C-alpha cells in the first residue's frame, strides 16, 4: 500500500513549502517538495537492509534557494542551454535571460526550479501544477504544467510531465536530481558504474551548447555501452573535458520509449543498489557534478567545509538541448492546444 505524508518544510516568499513523502510497503520512500518540484530524498535499502538516501539533498529550504546546482529540481521551460539566449518561431525572435555567459540555462533566472507548485494527491503519488504566464522568462504562450510523481511496490519512481499552451511555443523538461547510490554520500559519486545504451554523444562548443555534430563513442571515454566506473572515464579524459572538466554531455539514446530493457543503468558496488532508467526521451545529459565543490554542503556523511567534486551524477532525460536552434536535432515545436508529454521511470533494486 502506498502512503502519502505531508509535512511543513519551510517558507519561500511568504508561501509555505511542504515535503510530501511517498512510501510503499518495502520502506521505499521518495520525498518531493512543492518548491521547484524538488526530489528531496529517495530512500532505498542497501544489500545489508539499511535504508539510505541515494540522492543529494538538503534538510534546509534556504540551501535550495539560489543554489546553482539545481539539485533535485524540475527544469523548464527548457532544459540545458539555449544558444545566444534566443530562438525564433515563425519568424518571431524570442529573447531569453542570459544566465550562462551569452546563453540561457535551464529556463532562465526564474525557471520552474524556483516556482511554488499547487499539489493534489493522486493514486500512488502527487501531481504538481503551475501556470506560466505568456512571456515569462521570454517564452511565448501561457502554459499549464502538470508534473506527477508516483511510486509502486516494485520500488519504481515514475515521473510524467504534461503541458499545454495557448500559443505555439517550445518546451523541453527534465529533472536535475543527483544520484549517489552509495547512500548518504558515504562514497564519492564518481565511484559508481554507469552504463548507457548510446552510440553517440553531442559535441559541445566553448559555451557548452551542442553544435549539431555527434561524437561516436567507440574507443572514447564516452563509450559507456558496457558500463564504466565514472572516475576512470574522467581520468582517461577527452578534448571536450577542456570545456566541461568532466562529463556534461547529451548522450543520444539508441532507442526511445518505455520498453523491457532500460536505456541507462547506474550501480554502486559499495551498497549493491542498482538504478535502471527507462525514458520516452531522445537524450540523457550526464553531468558528473563537476562544480559541486562550489555549492552548499549536502546532507549525509560528506562532512566538511565543502562538497567533494563529482559527489553525485545527474542524469537528465530530455529532448536535445538547444534543439529549437539546431535543425539536425529535429526538435518539435509545441502547437497551440497540443499536449506535451514526457515520462521517465527509475527502478531500484539490489544487484549482488
Amino acid at each position: 500500500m502506498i502512503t502519502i505524508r505531508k509535512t511543513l518544510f519551510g517558507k519561500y516568499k511568504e508561501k509555505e513549502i511542504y515535503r510530501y513523502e511517498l512510501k510503499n510497503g518495502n520502506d521505499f520512500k521518495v520525498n518531493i517538495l512543492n518548491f521547484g518540484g524538488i526530489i528531496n530524498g529517495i530512500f532505498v535499502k542497501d544489500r545489508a537492509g539499511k535504508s539510505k538516501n541515494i540522492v543529494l539533498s538538503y534538510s534546509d529550504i534556504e540551501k535550495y534557494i539560489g543554489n546553482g546546482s539545481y539539485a533535485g529540481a524540475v527544469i523548464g521551460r527548457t532544459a540545458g542551454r539555449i544558444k545566444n539566449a534566443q530562438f525564433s518561431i515563425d519568424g518571431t525572435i524570442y529573447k531569453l535571460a542570459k544566465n550562462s555567459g551569452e546563453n540561457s540555462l535551464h529556463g532562465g533566472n526564474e525557471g520552474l526550479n524556483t516556482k511554488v507548485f499547487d499539489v493534489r494527491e493522486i493514486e500512488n503519488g502527487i501531481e504538481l501544477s503551475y501556470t506560466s504566464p505568456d512571456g515569462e522568462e521570454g517564452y511565448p504562450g501561457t502554459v499549464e504544467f502538470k508534473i506527477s510523481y508516483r511510486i509502486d511496490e516494485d520500488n519504481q519512481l515514475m515521473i510524467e510531465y504534461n503541458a499545454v499552451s495557448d500559443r505555439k511555443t517550445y518546451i523541453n523538461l527534465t529533472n536535475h536530481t543527483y544520484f549517489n547510490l552509495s547512500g548518504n554520500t558515504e562514497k564519492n559519486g564518481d565511484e559508481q558504474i554507469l552504463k548507457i545504451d548510446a552510440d553517440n554523444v553531442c559535441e559541445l562548443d566553448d559555451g557548452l551548447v551542442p553544435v549539431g555534430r555527434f561524437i561516436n563513442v567507440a574507443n572514447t571515454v564516452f563509450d559507456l555501452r558496457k558500463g564504466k566506473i565514472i572516475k576512470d572515464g574522467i581520468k582517461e579524459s577527452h578534448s571536450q573535458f577542456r570545456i566541461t572538466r568532466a562529463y556534461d554531455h547529451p548522450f543520444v539514446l539508441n532507442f526511445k520509449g518505455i520498453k523491457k530493457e532500460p536505456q541507462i543503468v547506474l550501480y554502486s558496488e559499495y551498497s549493491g543498489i542498482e538504478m535502471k532508467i527507462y525514458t520516452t526521451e531522445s537524450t540523457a545529459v550526464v553531468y558528473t557534478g563537476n562544480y559541486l565543490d562550489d555549492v552548499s554542503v549536502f546532507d549525509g556523511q560528506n562532512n566538511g567545509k565543502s562538497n567533494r567534486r563529482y559527489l553525485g551524477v545527474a542524469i537528465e532525460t530530455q529532448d536535445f538541448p538547444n534543439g529549437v536552434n539546431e535543425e539536425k536535432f529535429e526538435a518539435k515545436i509545441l502547437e497551440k492546444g497540443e499536449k506535451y508529454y514526457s515520462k521517465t521511470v527509475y527502478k531500484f533494486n539490489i544487484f549482488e
Side-chain angles (χ1 to χ4, degrees):
M1 178 180 177
I2 308 301
T3 60
I4 302 172
R5 187 164 67 101
K6 173 184 175 182
T7 57
L8 185 65
F9 190 75
K11 283 193 173 183
Y12 174 69
K13 294 184 176 180
E14 304 304 316
K15 295 182 179 179
E16 293 183 334
I17 305 303
Y18 290 96
R19 178 170 61 197
Y20 294 81
E21 178 194 86
L22 312 181
K23 183 179 178 181
N24 72 8
N26 305 314
D27 288 332
F28 171 67
K29 296 188 296 184
V30 178
N31 294 337
I32 302 113
L33 305 183
N34 61 330
F35 173 70
I38 288 171
I39 293 177
N40 177 243
I42 298 178
F43 294 83
V44 183
K45 289 182 179 179
D46 65 8
R47 64 162 63 91
K50 182 179 179 182
S51 180
K52 291 184 175 181
N53 182 15
I54 51 85
V55 304
L56 304 188
S57 62
Y58 298 109
S59 54
D60 182 356
I61 184 64
E62 295 297 326
K63 290 187 177 181
Y64 282 111
I65 298 169
N67 190 309
S69 72
Y70 298 88
V74 171
I75 302 298
R77 291 188 186 187
T78 59
R81 292 170 175 82
I82 302 293
K83 190 170 182 63
N84 296 324
Q86 66 179 39
F87 62 89
S88 66
I89 296 177
D90 295 338
T92 300
I93 296 176
Y94 297 95
K95 295 186 178 295
L96 314 175
K98 293 183 178 181
N99 62 340
S100 179
E102 291 298 306
N103 306 312
S104 185
L105 174 65
H106 289 339
N109 291 323
E110 295 188 356
L112 293 181
N113 62 294
T114 70
K115 305 306 180 185
V116 179
F117 290 79
D118 294 327
V119 181
R120 73 180 183 97
E121 293 189 11
I122 56 177
E123 185 178 6
N124 296 337
I126 59 172
E127 180 186 79
L128 281 63
S129 61
Y130 172 74
T131 300
S132 177
D134 181 34
E136 185 170 46
E137 289 295 321
Y139 290 89
T142 297
V143 180
E144 300 283 347
F145 290 99
K146 293 186 184 299
I147 301 158
S148 68
Y149 297 81
R150 293 183 175 90
I151 66 171
D152 64 16
E153 297 294 351
D154 292 325
N155 294 357
Q156 292 188 123
L157 166 64
M158 289 77 69
I159 306 179
E160 291 182 280
Y161 308 84
N162 290 272
V164 64
S165 175
D166 65 356
R167 289 178 61 189
K168 192 180 289 190
T169 192
Y170 177 57
I171 295 173
N172 184 19
L173 305 180
T174 193
N175 180 278
H176 209 292
T177 293
Y178 294 90
F179 296 95
N180 182 327
L181 302 185
S182 73
N184 305 327
T185 67
E186 290 177 14
K187 294 290 183 179
N188 211 40
D190 60 358
E191 296 187 35
Q192 299 173 103
I193 298 171
L194 181 59
K195 180 180 178 182
I196 304 181
D197 189 358
D199 295 336
N200 296 283
V201 297
C202 295
E203 181 181 340
L204 306 180
D205 67 14
D206 287 344
L208 285 80
V209 180
V211 297
R213 294 190 295 271
F214 298 126
I215 299 170
N216 187 282
V217 304
N219 301 312
T220 76
V221 299
F222 297 110
D223 192 351
L224 307 183
R225 292 173 294 186
K226 293 183 179 179
K228 183 187 290 287
I229 299 172
I230 292 170
K231 67 180 179 181
D232 289 349
I234 294 173
K235 287 178 182 177
E236 290 173 30
S237 196
H238 190 278
S239 59
Q240 284 274 290
F241 289 179
R242 174 186 60 82
I243 303 167
T244 59
R245 182 175 279 180
Y247 295 99
D248 193 5
H249 292 75
F251 282 71
V252 185
L253 301 175
N254 286 341
F255 67 90
K256 294 171 60 175
I258 311 296
K259 300 182 180 181
K260 184 177 180 180
E261 296 300 320
Q263 293 103 322
I264 304 158
V265 180
L266 187 68
Y267 174 64
S268 169
E269 292 182 309
Y270 177 75
S271 67
I273 297 172
E274 178 187 67
M275 176 178 70
K276 296 179 179 179
I277 299 179
Y278 309 77
T279 185
T280 60
E281 292 305 296
S282 303
T283 78
V285 175
V286 172
Y287 173 56
T288 46
N290 309 336
Y291 294 90
L292 289 180
D293 45 339
D294 292 336
V295 303
S296 296
V297 178
F298 291 102
D299 294 348
Q301 302 299 316
N302 181 45
N303 297 318
K305 295 182 180 179
S306 66
N307 296 314
R308 290 164 284 173
R309 190 175 294 174
Y310 316 130
L311 184 63
V313 56
I315 303 172
E316 308 159 53
T317 55
Q318 60 189 268
D319 202 355
F320 287 92
N322 195 46
V324 69
N325 288 322
E326 182 50 68
E327 290 184 4
K328 292 180 181 177
F329 294 155
E330 299 180 347
K332 193 173 186 299
I333 299 299
L334 189 71
E335 299 289 335
K336 174 182 176 180
E338 183 183 10
K339 292 182 179 180
Y340 170 94
Y341 178 77
S342 173
K343 181 177 182 179
T344 298
V345 177
Y346 307 82
K347 181 175 176 58
F348 301 91
N349 62 274
I350 298 300
F351 182 82
E352 299 294 343

mmCIF file of all heavy atoms in Angstrom, residues 197-236:
data_model
loop_
_atom_site.group_PDB
_atom_site.id
_atom_site.type_symbol
_atom_site.label_atom_id
_atom_site.label_comp_id
_atom_site.label_asym_id
_atom_site.label_seq_id
_atom_site.Cartn_x
_atom_site.Cartn_y
_atom_site.Cartn_z
ATOM 1 N N ASP A 197 23.035 2.978 -23.140
ATOM 2 C CA ASP A 197 22.861 2.427 -24.486
ATOM 3 C C ASP A 197 22.826 3.589 -25.475
ATOM 4 O O ASP A 197 21.771 4.050 -25.898
ATOM 5 C CB ASP A 197 21.553 1.626 -24.546
ATOM 6 C CG ASP A 197 21.410 0.836 -25.831
ATOM 7 O OD1 ASP A 197 22.302 0.937 -26.697
ATOM 8 O OD2 ASP A 197 20.395 0.125 -25.983
ATOM 9 N N ALA A 198 24.018 4.082 -25.815
ATOM 10 C CA ALA A 198 24.146 5.232 -26.723
ATOM 11 C C ALA A 198 25.414 5.083 -27.541
ATOM 12 O O ALA A 198 26.502 4.906 -26.986
ATOM 13 C CB ALA A 198 24.182 6.531 -25.928
ATOM 14 N N ASP A 199 25.274 5.172 -28.858
ATOM 15 C CA ASP A 199 26.421 5.085 -29.761
ATOM 16 C C ASP A 199 27.064 6.441 -30.022
ATOM 17 O O ASP A 199 28.177 6.502 -30.556
ATOM 18 C CB ASP A 199 25.997 4.492 -31.113
ATOM 19 C CG ASP A 199 25.538 3.047 -30.998
ATOM 20 O OD1 ASP A 199 25.942 2.371 -30.037
ATOM 21 O OD2 ASP A 199 24.763 2.600 -31.883
ATOM 22 N N ASN A 200 26.366 7.522 -29.661
ATOM 23 C CA ASN A 200 26.851 8.866 -29.951
ATOM 24 C C ASN A 200 26.557 9.815 -28.794
ATOM 25 O O ASN A 200 25.590 9.623 -28.046
ATOM 26 C CB ASN A 200 26.187 9.426 -31.215
ATOM 27 C CG ASN A 200 26.541 8.650 -32.456
ATOM 28 O OD1 ASN A 200 27.634 8.787 -33.011
ATOM 29 N ND2 ASN A 200 25.615 7.810 -32.914
ATOM 30 N N VAL A 201 27.401 10.844 -28.670
ATOM 31 C CA VAL A 201 27.119 11.972 -27.789
ATOM 32 C C VAL A 201 27.182 13.239 -28.628
ATOM 33 O O VAL A 201 27.763 13.252 -29.724
ATOM 34 C CB VAL A 201 28.107 12.076 -26.609
ATOM 35 C CG1 VAL A 201 28.021 10.861 -25.713
ATOM 36 C CG2 VAL A 201 29.533 12.293 -27.097
ATOM 37 N N CYS A 202 26.597 14.302 -28.111
ATOM 38 C CA CYS A 202 26.620 15.590 -28.809
ATOM 39 C C CYS A 202 27.933 16.310 -28.514
ATOM 40 O O CYS A 202 28.350 16.409 -27.358
ATOM 41 C CB CYS A 202 25.466 16.468 -28.368
ATOM 42 S SG CYS A 202 23.838 15.833 -28.806
ATOM 43 N N GLU A 203 28.555 16.824 -29.553
ATOM 44 C CA GLU A 203 29.731 17.677 -29.380
ATOM 45 C C GLU A 203 29.276 19.043 -28.868
ATOM 46 O O GLU A 203 28.245 19.565 -29.296
ATOM 47 C CB GLU A 203 30.464 17.835 -30.709
ATOM 48 C CG GLU A 203 31.719 18.693 -30.622
ATOM 49 C CD GLU A 203 32.407 18.846 -31.962
ATOM 50 O OE1 GLU A 203 32.162 18.018 -32.867
ATOM 51 O OE2 GLU A 203 33.184 19.819 -32.104
ATOM 52 N N LEU A 204 30.047 19.624 -27.945
ATOM 53 C CA LEU A 204 29.710 20.914 -27.367
ATOM 54 C C LEU A 204 30.681 21.989 -27.832
ATOM 55 O O LEU A 204 31.865 21.709 -28.073
ATOM 56 C CB LEU A 204 29.750 20.847 -25.834
ATOM 57 C CG LEU A 204 28.912 19.766 -25.155
ATOM 58 C CD1 LEU A 204 29.078 19.872 -23.640
ATOM 59 C CD2 LEU A 204 27.450 19.865 -25.549
ATOM 60 N N ASP A 205 30.182 23.237 -27.931
ATOM 61 C CA ASP A 205 31.075 24.358 -28.208
ATOM 62 C C ASP A 205 31.621 24.905 -26.892
ATOM 63 O O ASP A 205 31.355 24.354 -25.814
ATOM 64 C CB ASP A 205 30.378 25.440 -29.037
ATOM 65 C CG ASP A 205 29.244 26.146 -28.292
ATOM 66 O OD1 ASP A 205 29.140 26.019 -27.058
ATOM 67 O OD2 ASP A 205 28.452 26.846 -28.965
ATOM 68 N N ASP A 206 32.376 25.995 -26.949
ATOM 69 C CA ASP A 206 33.008 26.526 -25.746
ATOM 70 C C ASP A 206 32.007 27.051 -24.727
ATOM 71 O O ASP A 206 32.357 27.244 -23.566
ATOM 72 C CB ASP A 206 33.998 27.634 -26.115
ATOM 73 C CG ASP A 206 35.270 27.080 -26.764
ATOM 74 O OD1 ASP A 206 35.506 25.864 -26.640
ATOM 75 O OD2 ASP A 206 36.007 27.858 -27.392
ATOM 76 N N GLY A 207 30.771 27.282 -25.150
ATOM 77 C CA GLY A 207 29.723 27.713 -24.236
ATOM 78 C C GLY A 207 28.897 26.565 -23.708
ATOM 79 O O GLY A 207 27.854 26.778 -23.085
ATOM 80 N N LEU A 208 29.351 25.326 -23.964
ATOM 81 C CA LEU A 208 28.682 24.093 -23.535
ATOM 82 C C LEU A 208 27.345 23.876 -24.226
ATOM 83 O O LEU A 208 26.446 23.239 -23.691
ATOM 84 C CB LEU A 208 28.504 24.039 -22.008
ATOM 85 C CG LEU A 208 29.747 23.738 -21.181
ATOM 86 C CD1 LEU A 208 30.613 24.981 -21.019
ATOM 87 C CD2 LEU A 208 29.374 23.188 -19.819
ATOM 88 N N VAL A 209 27.208 24.397 -25.441
ATOM 89 C CA VAL A 209 25.990 24.230 -26.228
ATOM 90 C C VAL A 209 26.248 23.204 -27.331
ATOM 91 O O VAL A 209 27.269 23.283 -28.027
ATOM 92 C CB VAL A 209 25.546 25.567 -26.864
ATOM 93 C CG1 VAL A 209 24.276 25.373 -27.686
ATOM 94 C CG2 VAL A 209 25.334 26.624 -25.795
ATOM 95 N N PRO A 210 25.354 22.221 -27.523
ATOM 96 C CA PRO A 210 25.513 21.278 -28.629
ATOM 97 C C PRO A 210 25.551 21.994 -29.973
ATOM 98 O O PRO A 210 24.763 22.912 -30.219
ATOM 99 C CB PRO A 210 24.271 20.391 -28.516
ATOM 100 C CG PRO A 210 23.865 20.480 -27.088
ATOM 101 C CD PRO A 210 24.189 21.886 -26.675
ATOM 102 N N VAL A 211 26.483 21.582 -30.843
ATOM 103 C CA VAL A 211 26.701 22.279 -32.111
ATOM 104 C C VAL A 211 26.059 21.567 -33.294
ATOM 105 O O VAL A 211 26.175 22.032 -34.431
ATOM 106 C CB VAL A 211 28.209 22.460 -32.377
ATOM 107 C CG1 VAL A 211 28.837 23.341 -31.313
ATOM 108 C CG2 VAL A 211 28.924 21.108 -32.443
ATOM 109 N N GLY A 212 25.420 20.438 -33.078
ATOM 110 C CA GLY A 212 24.789 19.727 -34.188
ATOM 111 C C GLY A 212 25.637 18.623 -34.763
ATOM 112 O O GLY A 212 25.238 17.955 -35.718
ATOM 113 N N ARG A 213 26.821 18.412 -34.180
ATOM 114 C CA ARG A 213 27.681 17.306 -34.602
ATOM 115 C C ARG A 213 27.723 16.261 -33.499
ATOM 116 O O ARG A 213 27.641 16.581 -32.309
ATOM 117 C CB ARG A 213 29.099 17.796 -34.899
ATOM 118 C CG ARG A 213 29.191 18.725 -36.098
ATOM 119 C CD ARG A 213 30.653 18.973 -36.476
ATOM 120 N NE ARG A 213 31.369 19.689 -35.425
ATOM 121 C CZ ARG A 213 31.450 21.010 -35.330
ATOM 122 N NH1 ARG A 213 30.834 21.768 -36.213
ATOM 123 N NH2 ARG A 213 32.143 21.577 -34.359
ATOM 124 N N PHE A 214 27.883 15.003 -33.922
ATOM 125 C CA PHE A 214 27.919 13.902 -32.975
ATOM 126 C C PHE A 214 29.318 13.314 -32.890
ATOM 127 O O PHE A 214 30.059 13.282 -33.876
ATOM 128 C CB PHE A 214 26.935 12.807 -33.384
ATOM 129 C CG PHE A 214 25.504 13.261 -33.413
ATOM 130 C CD1 PHE A 214 24.736 13.095 -34.557
ATOM 131 C CD2 PHE A 214 24.930 13.852 -32.306
ATOM 132 C CE1 PHE A 214 23.418 13.507 -34.589
ATOM 133 C CE2 PHE A 214 23.609 14.269 -32.316
ATOM 134 C CZ PHE A 214 22.849 14.100 -33.465
ATOM 135 N N ILE A 215 29.670 12.842 -31.715
ATOM 136 C CA ILE A 215 30.916 12.112 -31.493
ATOM 137 C C ILE A 215 30.554 10.646 -31.312
ATOM 138 O O ILE A 215 29.769 10.297 -30.424
ATOM 139 C CB ILE A 215 31.638 12.618 -30.229
ATOM 140 C CG1 ILE A 215 31.995 14.105 -30.356
ATOM 141 C CG2 ILE A 215 32.889 11.778 -29.951
ATOM 142 C CD1 ILE A 215 32.499 14.719 -29.058
ATOM 143 N N ASN A 216 31.083 9.795 -32.176
ATOM 144 C CA ASN A 216 30.878 8.364 -31.993
ATOM 145 C C ASN A 216 31.659 7.912 -30.765
ATOM 146 O O ASN A 216 32.832 8.242 -30.608
ATOM 147 C CB ASN A 216 31.335 7.594 -33.229
ATOM 148 C CG ASN A 216 30.985 6.126 -33.147
ATOM 149 O OD1 ASN A 216 31.646 5.352 -32.465
ATOM 150 N ND2 ASN A 216 29.916 5.737 -33.835
ATOM 151 N N VAL A 217 30.995 7.180 -29.896
ATOM 152 C CA VAL A 217 31.606 6.858 -28.600
ATOM 153 C C VAL A 217 32.699 5.809 -28.673
ATOM 154 O O VAL A 217 33.492 5.673 -27.734
ATOM 155 C CB VAL A 217 30.533 6.405 -27.582
ATOM 156 C CG1 VAL A 217 29.454 7.458 -27.421
ATOM 157 C CG2 VAL A 217 29.936 5.051 -27.967
ATOM 158 N N ALA A 218 32.766 5.056 -29.755
ATOM 159 C CA ALA A 218 33.719 3.944 -29.854
ATOM 160 C C ALA A 218 35.136 4.416 -29.577
ATOM 161 O O ALA A 218 35.589 5.429 -30.118
ATOM 162 C CB ALA A 218 33.642 3.307 -31.235
ATOM 163 N N ASN A 219 35.834 3.695 -28.701
ATOM 164 C CA ASN A 219 37.224 3.984 -28.345
ATOM 165 C C ASN A 219 37.417 5.361 -27.713
ATOM 166 O O ASN A 219 38.478 5.982 -27.860
ATOM 167 C CB ASN A 219 38.134 3.838 -29.568
ATOM 168 C CG ASN A 219 38.072 2.452 -30.168
ATOM 169 O OD1 ASN A 219 38.171 1.453 -29.453
ATOM 170 N ND2 ASN A 219 37.884 2.382 -31.477
ATOM 171 N N THR A 220 36.387 5.848 -27.038
ATOM 172 C CA THR A 220 36.489 7.116 -26.320
ATOM 173 C C THR A 220 35.978 6.936 -24.893
ATOM 174 O O THR A 220 35.382 5.904 -24.553
ATOM 175 C CB THR A 220 35.664 8.239 -26.992
ATOM 176 O OG1 THR A 220 34.270 8.049 -26.695
ATOM 177 C CG2 THR A 220 35.883 8.282 -28.493
ATOM 178 N N VAL A 221 36.176 7.955 -24.068
ATOM 179 C CA VAL A 221 35.675 7.916 -22.687
ATOM 180 C C VAL A 221 34.150 7.914 -22.639
ATOM 181 O O VAL A 221 33.565 7.612 -21.585
ATOM 182 C CB VAL A 221 36.200 9.123 -21.873
ATOM 183 C CG1 VAL A 221 37.705 9.096 -21.812
ATOM 184 C CG2 VAL A 221 35.702 10.451 -22.442
ATOM 185 N N PHE A 222 33.518 8.231 -23.752
ATOM 186 C CA PHE A 222 32.059 8.286 -23.801
ATOM 187 C C PHE A 222 31.426 6.918 -24.089
ATOM 188 O O PHE A 222 30.198 6.808 -24.120
ATOM 189 C CB PHE A 222 31.596 9.280 -24.866
ATOM 190 C CG PHE A 222 32.005 10.698 -24.588
ATOM 191 C CD1 PHE A 222 32.973 11.321 -25.376
ATOM 192 C CD2 PHE A 222 31.452 11.414 -23.540
ATOM 193 C CE1 PHE A 222 33.360 12.627 -25.120
ATOM 194 C CE2 PHE A 222 31.828 12.710 -23.274
ATOM 195 C CZ PHE A 222 32.796 13.325 -24.069
ATOM 196 N N ASP A 223 32.241 5.911 -24.283
ATOM 197 C CA ASP A 223 31.693 4.577 -24.550
ATOM 198 C C ASP A 223 31.303 3.925 -23.221
ATOM 199 O O ASP A 223 32.120 3.295 -22.549
ATOM 200 C CB ASP A 223 32.701 3.711 -25.301
ATOM 201 C CG ASP A 223 32.062 2.433 -25.841
ATOM 202 O OD1 ASP A 223 30.890 2.160 -25.480
ATOM 203 O OD2 ASP A 223 32.714 1.726 -26.622
ATOM 204 N N LEU A 224 30.054 4.087 -22.859
ATOM 205 C CA LEU A 224 29.525 3.524 -21.622
ATOM 206 C C LEU A 224 28.577 2.363 -21.908
ATOM 207 O O LEU A 224 27.804 1.955 -21.042
ATOM 208 C CB LEU A 224 28.790 4.608 -20.819
ATOM 209 C CG LEU A 224 29.569 5.890 -20.529
ATOM 210 C CD1 LEU A 224 28.731 6.835 -19.676
ATOM 211 C CD2 LEU A 224 30.898 5.596 -19.844
ATOM 212 N N ARG A 225 28.649 1.834 -23.117
ATOM 213 C CA ARG A 225 27.686 0.813 -23.528
ATOM 214 C C ARG A 225 27.816 -0.474 -22.725
ATOM 215 O O ARG A 225 26.828 -1.187 -22.548
ATOM 216 C CB ARG A 225 27.828 0.536 -25.026
ATOM 217 C CG ARG A 225 27.384 1.718 -25.887
ATOM 218 C CD ARG A 225 27.686 1.505 -27.359
ATOM 219 N NE ARG A 225 29.127 1.475 -27.611
ATOM 220 C CZ ARG A 225 29.658 1.420 -28.829
ATOM 221 N NH1 ARG A 225 28.859 1.392 -29.897
ATOM 222 N NH2 ARG A 225 30.971 1.405 -28.989
ATOM 223 N N LYS A 226 29.011 -0.762 -22.221
ATOM 224 C CA LYS A 226 29.201 -1.951 -21.386
ATOM 225 C C LYS A 226 29.387 -1.588 -19.919
ATOM 226 O O LYS A 226 29.609 -2.464 -19.090
ATOM 227 C CB LYS A 226 30.405 -2.749 -21.892
ATOM 228 C CG LYS A 226 30.194 -3.357 -23.268
ATOM 229 C CD LYS A 226 31.394 -4.191 -23.684
ATOM 230 C CE LYS A 226 31.162 -4.826 -25.053
ATOM 231 N NZ LYS A 226 32.352 -5.634 -25.476
ATOM 232 N N GLY A 227 29.295 -0.302 -19.624
ATOM 233 C CA GLY A 227 29.470 0.158 -18.259
ATOM 234 C C GLY A 227 30.892 0.585 -17.984
ATOM 235 O O GLY A 227 31.844 -0.023 -18.478
ATOM 236 N N LYS A 228 31.040 1.664 -17.199
ATOM 237 C CA LYS A 228 32.366 2.179 -16.869
ATOM 238 C C LYS A 228 32.294 2.869 -15.506
ATOM 239 O O LYS A 228 31.302 3.546 -15.196
ATOM 240 C CB LYS A 228 32.836 3.178 -17.936
ATOM 241 C CG LYS A 228 34.243 3.730 -17.729
ATOM 242 C CD LYS A 228 34.557 4.829 -18.727
ATOM 243 C CE LYS A 228 34.726 4.330 -20.138
ATOM 244 N NZ LYS A 228 36.003 3.595 -20.318
ATOM 245 N N ILE A 229 33.323 2.690 -14.713
ATOM 246 C CA ILE A 229 33.426 3.468 -13.477
ATOM 247 C C ILE A 229 33.646 4.924 -13.876
ATOM 248 O O ILE A 229 34.554 5.235 -14.663
ATOM 249 C CB ILE A 229 34.564 2.959 -12.588
ATOM 250 C CG1 ILE A 229 34.308 1.509 -12.180
ATOM 251 C CG2 ILE A 229 34.713 3.834 -11.343
ATOM 252 C CD1 ILE A 229 35.474 0.863 -11.445
ATOM 253 N N ILE A 230 32.835 5.807 -13.355
ATOM 254 C CA ILE A 230 32.848 7.195 -13.812
ATOM 255 C C ILE A 230 34.226 7.832 -13.678
ATOM 256 O O ILE A 230 34.707 8.505 -14.600
ATOM 257 C CB ILE A 230 31.786 8.011 -13.044
ATOM 258 C CG1 ILE A 230 30.381 7.546 -13.439
ATOM 259 C CG2 ILE A 230 31.948 9.502 -13.315
ATOM 260 C CD1 ILE A 230 29.269 8.114 -12.581
ATOM 261 N N LYS A 231 34.891 7.609 -12.556
ATOM 262 C CA LYS A 231 36.192 8.268 -12.360
ATOM 263 C C LYS A 231 37.239 7.762 -13.345
ATOM 264 O O LYS A 231 38.173 8.498 -13.692
ATOM 265 C CB LYS A 231 36.667 8.103 -10.923
ATOM 266 C CG LYS A 231 37.017 6.700 -10.490
ATOM 267 C CD LYS A 231 37.483 6.710 -9.028
ATOM 268 C CE LYS A 231 37.826 5.312 -8.537
ATOM 269 N NZ LYS A 231 38.247 5.340 -7.103
ATOM 270 N N ASP A 232 37.087 6.523 -13.832
ATOM 271 C CA ASP A 232 38.025 6.018 -14.839
ATOM 272 C C ASP A 232 37.889 6.803 -16.134
ATOM 273 O O ASP A 232 38.889 7.141 -16.775
ATOM 274 C CB ASP A 232 37.778 4.532 -15.089
ATOM 275 C CG ASP A 232 38.208 3.658 -13.922
ATOM 276 O OD1 ASP A 232 38.886 4.178 -13.013
ATOM 277 O OD2 ASP A 232 37.856 2.463 -13.920
ATOM 278 N N GLY A 233 36.643 7.087 -16.513
ATOM 279 C CA GLY A 233 36.428 7.890 -17.710
ATOM 280 C C GLY A 233 36.968 9.297 -17.560
ATOM 281 O O GLY A 233 37.552 9.864 -18.496
ATOM 282 N N ILE A 234 36.789 9.878 -16.374
ATOM 283 C CA ILE A 234 37.287 11.232 -16.141
ATOM 284 C C ILE A 234 38.808 11.257 -16.212
ATOM 285 O O ILE A 234 39.406 12.170 -16.805
ATOM 286 C CB ILE A 234 36.788 11.757 -14.773
ATOM 287 C CG1 ILE A 234 35.257 11.917 -14.798
ATOM 288 C CG2 ILE A 234 37.448 13.091 -14.439
ATOM 289 C CD1 ILE A 234 34.646 12.268 -13.459
ATOM 290 N N LYS A 235 39.450 10.239 -15.647
ATOM 291 C CA LYS A 235 40.916 10.172 -15.675
ATOM 292 C C LYS A 235 41.442 9.996 -17.095
ATOM 293 O O LYS A 235 42.477 10.552 -17.460
ATOM 294 C CB LYS A 235 41.400 9.025 -14.780
ATOM 295 C CG LYS A 235 41.277 9.297 -13.296
ATOM 296 C CD LYS A 235 41.734 8.092 -12.491
ATOM 297 C CE LYS A 235 41.572 8.316 -10.999
ATOM 298 N NZ LYS A 235 41.951 7.108 -10.207
ATOM 299 N N GLU A 236 40.738 9.191 -17.904
ATOM 300 C CA GLU A 236 41.168 8.979 -19.292
ATOM 301 C C GLU A 236 41.116 10.275 -20.073
ATOM 302 O O GLU A 236 41.912 10.510 -20.970
ATOM 303 C CB GLU A 236 40.274 7.937 -19.963
ATOM 304 C CG GLU A 236 40.464 6.525 -19.454
ATOM 305 C CD GLU A 236 39.425 5.580 -20.030
ATOM 306 O OE1 GLU A 236 38.969 5.821 -21.168
ATOM 307 O OE2 GLU A 236 39.043 4.624 -19.330
#
